[in-house]
Amino acid sequence: MNTMVIISFLLLGIAAFVIQIKRRQQQIDALHLLFFAALAIAMKVDFEDANHANQWTYALIAIVAINFLLSRWAKLRNPIIRLLPPLVSFAILFGVYWNDSFIYLGNNFNMSDKATVVLPFLGILIYEIAWMKVHFLKKFFGLHDSFINVLMPLFIGLTALIGAFNAGGYGVFLVGSGFLAASFYNPLGSKHIIHSFFAVAVIWMFASQSDIALIDLRFGKVVAGLFIGAFVGGFILNMWTVEKRKNMALLLTYVLVVLIVTGVLIAGSQINVSFGGVEAYLGALMGFAIANSVLFLKEDNQELQQAPIMMSALVPLLLIGFIVPPMLVNEEEKAVEETLEAMAPKNENGEEIIVPFIPIADLVGSHQIDPASSIISFKLGAEGSVTKGAIKEFTGTISISEDLKTSTFDIKLPVLNLTTFLSMRDESIMGAEYFKADKFPSMYFKSSEMVPTDKANEYELLGTFELLGVKKDQKVRIHRIEDGSKKVLVGAGEIDRRKFGMSDDPREGNIVSFEFKVELK
């Protein structure tokens, strides 16, 4: 992420804090405009066409800025006409870009598509529809004006659903842009709701940066993230109401929030993937958005305005997302994944390209494994709690016979060349509980037969695998792929580590699935 974007959000967070401390509520709209602009610029890097994205992004910012300026004219804040400026300005914007289409994070949406056009207009109308509902309920049931905060989660949920269905996170962002433009003409009441839209919108952005396609609520870490995010919103909001040693309390509050959310991210990569990671962080953003839409300050507390408080809470969350995940990227793990991804290339739409298998019979003769360019990748554990690893610089002899069935594979895998991409964990698994590396320094695979499968040019190796001095029958699927002038074999298989004397541990996982790429020389 661009350093200037990070600095911009940092300054905006500080500004939100100062506005609340100094009670300069008249500056909230200007602050929201700057926040929106910074977020729009941050999100534009995920558009496929950079030039087109620049034009659209700055045009969208300009339209919202025009509404900010027009809203300074008191007459346009009249409830009878305050909807007209944002409705007309967004209609002009879509008219200019009517024939254009955009690809955001692989999601193509057309400006002339009704499902796209309607998004900012839904945002513009949310506040007014909510107030109409409140007035109706007040008339018949005597409810208080604060009931609008109860209605907001419903409207946010419905409009976010429509936005996400058509254009993913950017669809939600468009709804939020309309809501923001309309909010300039409205009282302070529900201005904090804009941060719920923005918190939801950036989930797609951060998920894409970490190659996460799905957030599954069955995972404990995601549920934990949801409640941590809700805690962040509620905790910061309530700490602003303390009366004794307020400055110290607020300082400790924001520090604690940063530590907790950062800890959630780090837990997945440095402690245990079941405890956290990016999925938990994305859950925290969603939890914050939900809490922000249902929590509200008592109206008798006139000193506080919720909008800058919730902005000051969201900014640290965004900064953590911008800064922490890139720092946690393990270059060794990334290199392994890129190597394996090259074996299964994808087209521009993200669909896997079927790589034809080529005959192994053309490799008749004896070959040595090239340890520098060969790799085995493995993983184990339940879904959402998968531990990944690799074995590099292993050696072996592969003899391909005229009669392929009698071909032999003799592979030696040094245990110390195994890594789970975390040095502390690697040291632990080399001990007596797992690999006993001092006593059994290597693992071995020796094939006895190679038989064809029902796929053309794919074979199954039948042989024995030796681990911890224990030998068991093992099957491995294998085929050859074209890679220029290189002689490359790839394949996959599974090993039940319990069969070799390792203790049963469903949490860590017992079935180790592996893929490999072997280059011959």
Side-chain angles (χ1 to χ4, degrees):
M1 182 57 63
N2 188 294
T3 302
M4 288 305 299
V5 171
I6 293 174
I7 293 174
S8 297
F9 277 103
L10 177 62
L11 294 175
L12 287 168
I14 294 172
F17 186 90
V18 172
I19 283 175
Q20 186 60 62
I21 286 286
K22 301 294 185 181
R23 304 175 191 171
R24 295 176 179 173
Q25 311 306 337
Q26 71 278 8
Q27 297 177 346
I28 291 175
D29 284 345
L31 186 66
H32 275 163
L33 173 61
L34 293 173
F35 184 82
F36 166 79
L39 192 56
I41 292 170
M43 296 178 75
K44 77 180 177 69
V45 299
D46 291 318
F47 281 86
E48 189 169 292
D49 186 331
N51 291 330
H52 211 169
N54 281 333
Q55 294 177 24
W56 164 255
T57 298
Y58 292 115
L60 182 61
I61 293 172
I63 287 297
V64 176
I66 287 171
N67 278 281
F68 168 76
L69 295 173
L70 290 174
S71 69
R72 302 306 96 182
W73 188 15
K75 290 184 178 180
L76 290 180
R77 296 190 179 192
N78 188 304
I80 298 176
I81 62 173
R82 65 188 180 193
L83 281 177
L84 289 177
L87 288 173
V88 171
S89 59
F90 272 93
I92 293 172
L93 176 67
F94 276 85
V96 171
Y97 287 89
W98 188 252
N99 295 319
D100 291 345
S101 63
F102 298 91
I103 298 177
Y104 180 76
L105 296 176
N107 202 341
N108 189 6
F109 56 101
N110 299 311
M111 294 318 228
S112 57
D113 189 339
K114 293 179 181 178
T116 302
V117 172
V118 74
L119 298 180
F121 297 103
L122 286 174
I124 292 168
L125 295 173
I126 286 175
Y127 187 79
E128 301 300 333
I129 295 173
W131 266 117
M132 289 173 61
K133 188 74 172 178
V134 168
H135 283 301
F136 175 80
L137 294 173
K138 280 176 64 178
K139 183 177 180 180
F140 285 90
F141 302 107
L143 293 177
H144 203 274
D145 283 351
S146 62
F147 189 71
I148 192 171
N149 292 282
V150 179
L151 292 175
M152 278 303 178
L154 172 64
F155 292 116
I156 291 173
L158 292 175
T159 53
L161 174 63
I162 296 170
F165 178 78
N166 183 62
Y170 207 79
V172 180
F173 184 68
L174 287 176
V175 176
S177 67
F179 183 88
L180 175 61
S183 76
F184 295 145
Y185 302 89
N186 298 329
L188 283 171
S190 293
K191 289 183 182 288
H192 65 283
I193 295 298
I194 186 64
H195 303 302
S196 290
F197 281 112
F198 289 163
V200 174
V202 297
I203 288 175
W204 279 260
M205 178 176 67
F206 288 124
S208 174
Q209 291 174 5
S210 299
D211 296 322
I212 294 174
L214 178 68
I215 307 172
D216 197 326
L217 279 175
R218 295 173 299 171
F219 302 159
K221 60 186 177 183
V222 179
V223 175
L226 280 168
F227 282 92
I228 288 172
F231 162 78
V232 168
F235 184 48
I236 289 180
L237 189 62
N238 280 275
M239 289 304 291
W240 273 91
T241 66
V242 300
E243 297 179 357
K244 294 182 178 180
R245 301 182 180 89
K246 187 168 186 173
N247 290 338
M248 180 183 295
L250 289 174
L251 174 62
L252 294 175
T253 295
Y254 285 93
V255 170
L256 180 61
V257 163
V258 169
L259 290 177
I260 290 175
V261 179
T262 303
V264 163
L265 261 171
I266 293 177
S269 59
Q270 300 296 314
I271 302 174
N272 189 303
V273 289
S274 298
F275 297 161
V278 177
E279 294 99 328
Y281 168 73
L282 298 179
L285 285 173
M286 182 61 74
F288 169 85
I290 294 172
N292 180 50
S293 67
V294 299
L295 296 173
F296 52 94
L297 292 168
K298 294 180 180 179
E299 291 194 352
D300 57 2
N301 193 335
Q302 298 298 321
E303 293 184 1
L304 298 177
Q305 291 295 339
Q306 193 160 339
I309 294 176
M310 300 317 286
M311 184 181 196
S312 72
L314 180 57
V315 164
L317 290 179
L318 294 179
L319 289 174
I320 290 169
F322 287 138
I323 297 170
V324 177
M327 294 173 60
L328 298 177
V329 172
N330 187 298
E331 294 299 331
E332 185 179 17
E333 181 178 4
K334 185 178 179 181
V336 170
E337 290 178 350
E338 289 176 350
T339 298
L340 295 174
E341 286 173 1
M343 293 158 41
K346 297 180 180 179
N347 60 24
E348 58 183 13
N349 296 322
E351 301 168 335
E352 189 170 314
I353 300 172
I354 303 301
V355 179
F357 302 169
I358 61 177
I360 292 180
D362 296 342
L363 299 177
V364 171
S366 181
H367 309 272
Q368 296 297 314
I369 290 176
D370 183 355
S373 55
S374 300
I375 192 165
I376 298 174
S377 171
F378 65 86
K379 60 182 179 181
L380 71 160
E383 188 179 7
S385 182
V386 177
T387 298
K388 298 180 181 180
I391 304 174
K392 297 192 290 186
E393 297 186 5
F394 53 92
T395 58
T397 301
I398 296 176
S399 297
I400 306 299
S401 305
E402 294 282 355
D403 179 4
L404 291 178
K405 186 176 181 180
T406 62
S407 300
T408 60
F409 288 66
D410 191 348
I411 315 296
K412 179 181 179 181
L413 308 166
V415 170
L416 292 178
N417 289 358
L418 180 150
T419 178
T420 59
F421 311 115
L422 181 60
S423 58
M424 183 171 62
R425 183 166 54 204
D426 289 347
E427 291 178 10
S428 173
I429 64 177
M430 294 301 160
E433 190 175 353
Y434 292 95
F435 285 100
K436 303 176 184 177
D438 55 340
K439 186 177 181 180
F440 303 102
S442 295
M443 300 175 284
Y444 304 90
F445 174 75
K446 293 184 179 181
S447 71
S448 57
E449 191 175 5
M450 187 167 79
V451 297
T453 70
D454 56 358
K455 292 183 180 180
N457 295 318
E458 183 187 57
Y459 298 85
E460 188 171 65
L461 295 175
L462 309 179
T464 59
F465 182 67
E466 182 179 343
L467 170 62
L468 299 175
V470 179
K471 295 181 180 180
K472 295 289 181 181
D473 291 341
Q474 181 65 44
K475 297 179 180 179
V476 179
R477 299 185 307 279
I478 193 167
H479 61 270
R480 183 186 174 196
I481 62 172
E482 187 172 1
D483 190 0
S485 61
K486 299 177 181 178
K487 296 174 285 187
V488 176
L489 299 175
V490 300
E494 290 184 345
I495 293 173
D496 187 341
R497 64 188 185 89
R498 294 170 296 186
K499 293 181 178 180
F500 300 89
M502 288 191 180
S503 58
D504 182 12
D505 192 341
R507 281 185 318 164
E508 295 291 340
N510 296 312
I511 306 301
V512 182
S513 60
F514 61 88
E515 299 176 83
F516 61 85
K517 172 189 174 185
V518 172
E519 185 173 340
L520 308 181
K521 60 179 181 178

